[in-house]
């Protein structure tokens, strides 16, 4: 499986070639976009490509919530919503098999608005609403550690109380459990063994959360780096060692490690 994700894949001049080339190699190809460039022409071209799904990061039930999480203006939010609705309409009219998702970054502030976002997805005509737990990037002005959906009884009850709709798919946010061992900064995660992130310059990352960086190797310089590179292997060893502190702070608050089963 190949996921084409941000920055913004629709800016890539050879996006169609990337999709068709991967599909020709028997890979399922999925695309995530911010939706701002999904005009009518682009919608038609994407829906005629061998894609599994298109996900649009809407991240808001209204312009204010959108601005808080993504920084975009009210006019951008309106454009993205219009583009999603048109994409769904074109998909239905031509009988395209491509599935349509919208995603919603969920934190403690907007957790209660998930039902509204589900209704938004139904109104826009998408197949699935994906609520992604916030990741507290230290470099971001939007998120702080206080926004993380820690696995507390209150958070768990709020998620479990959501009425699941029958006519639209729903993926709930995953709360982050507190560390079972006092004082332990160890993180067990299967992602570095199952996933690989690559940026446009060939730089690698051991998962989909830590940004690709030359220190993890570069596929242009060494096509085998993903498999036997020393930096990636060392990171994988951290995931197997209960006595070793994890090197990446973001791993400690990452819900992704609980979302993939062995």
């Amino acid at each position: 499986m190949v996921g084409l994700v941000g920055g913004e894949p629709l800016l890539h001049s050879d996006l169609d070639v990337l999709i068709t080339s991967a599909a020709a190699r028997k890979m399922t190809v999925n695309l995530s976009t911010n939706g701002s460039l999904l005009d009518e022409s682009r919608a038609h071209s994407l829906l005629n490509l061998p894609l599994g799904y298109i996900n649009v990061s809407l991240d808001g039930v209204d312009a204010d919530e959108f601005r808080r999480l993504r920084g975009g203006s009210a006019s951008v939010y309106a454009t993205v919503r219009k583009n999603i609705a048109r994409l769904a309409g074109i998909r239905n009219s031509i009988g395209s098999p491509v599935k349509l998702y919208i995603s919603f970054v969920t934190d403690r502030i907007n957790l209660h608005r998930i039902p509204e976002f589900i209704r938004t997805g139904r109104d826009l005509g998408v197949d699935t609403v994906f609520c992604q737990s916030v990741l507290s990037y230290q470099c971001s002005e939007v998120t702080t550690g206080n926004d993380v959906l820690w696995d507390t009884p209150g958070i768990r009850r709020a998620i479990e109380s959501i009425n699941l709709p029958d006519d639209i798919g729903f993926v709930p946010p995953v709360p982050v459990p507190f560390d079972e061992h006092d004082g332990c900064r160890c993180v067990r995660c299967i992602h570095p063994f199952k996933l690989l992130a690559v940026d446009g310059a060939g730089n690698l990352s051991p998962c989909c959360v830590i940004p690709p960086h030359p220190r993890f190797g570069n596929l242009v310089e060494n096509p085998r780096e993903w498999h036997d590179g020393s930096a990636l292997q060392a990171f994988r060893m951290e995931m197997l060692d209960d006595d070793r502190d994890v090197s990446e702070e973001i791993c400690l608050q990452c819900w992704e490690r609980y979302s993939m089963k062995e």
Side-chain angles (χ1 to χ4, degrees), residues 89-210:
I90 294 173
R91 189 271 304 264
N92 295 339
S93 67
I94 67 176
S96 169
V98 178
K99 298 296 183 182
L100 302 183
Y101 288 44
I102 57 171
S103 57
F104 180 53
V105 170
T106 312
D107 58 15
R108 295 174 65 90
I109 299 172
N110 62 14
L111 178 62
H112 70 285
R113 306 195 75 178
I114 286 179
E116 294 177 74
F117 196 71
I118 293 174
R119 291 193 292 271
T120 296
R122 183 188 290 114
D123 293 342
L124 293 175
V126 304
D127 301 298
T128 299
V129 167
F130 173 48
C131 291
Q132 175 182 350
S133 298
V134 68
L135 285 169
S136 182
Y137 289 98
Q138 299 302 314
C139 61
S140 172
E141 296 179 358
V142 175
T143 61
T144 68
N146 296 328
D147 300 326
V148 174
L149 294 178
W150 295 110
D151 191 6
T152 64
I155 295 295
R156 199 179 313 118
R157 283 195 301 271
I159 295 174
E160 292 173 351
S161 66
I162 298 171
N163 292 322
L164 300 181
D166 295 326
D167 55 350
I168 186 171
F170 171 60
V171 180
V174 179
V176 180
F178 288 101
D179 204 316
E180 299 87 349
H181 308 291
D182 290 342
C184 178
R185 291 170 50 81
C186 306
V187 174
R188 299 298 294 271
C189 183
I190 198 172
H191 278 44
F193 303 91
K194 294 284 188 177
L195 302 177
L196 186 69
V198 187
D199 69 9
N203 298 316
L204 302 181
S205 170
C207 72
C208 56
V209 175
I210 301 172

Side-chain angles (χ1 to χ4, degrees), residues 211-231:
H213 193 280
R215 68 185 172 91
F216 289 114
N218 185 283
L219 286 182
V220 176
E221 298 175 359
N222 180 6
R224 292 285 299 174
E225 194 76 32
W226 69 273
H227 184 266
D228 52 18
S230 59

Side-chain angles (χ1 to χ4, degrees), residues 213-258:
H213 193 280
R215 68 185 172 91
F216 289 114
N218 185 283
L219 286 182
V220 176
E221 298 175 359
N222 180 6
R224 292 285 299 174
E225 194 76 32
W226 69 273
H227 184 266
D228 52 18
S230 59
L232 281 174
Q233 291 289 34
F235 192 88
R236 292 177 182 125
M237 292 303 296
E238 289 183 17
M239 297 294 107
L240 300 175
D241 190 346
D242 285 332
D243 297 321
R244 184 184 300 180
D245 284 354
V246 68
S247 62
E248 298 288 340
E249 288 293 321
I250 195 171
C251 293
L252 301 174
Q253 300 177 352
C254 180
W255 62 275
E256 285 274 2
R257 57 191 166 111
Y258 304 101

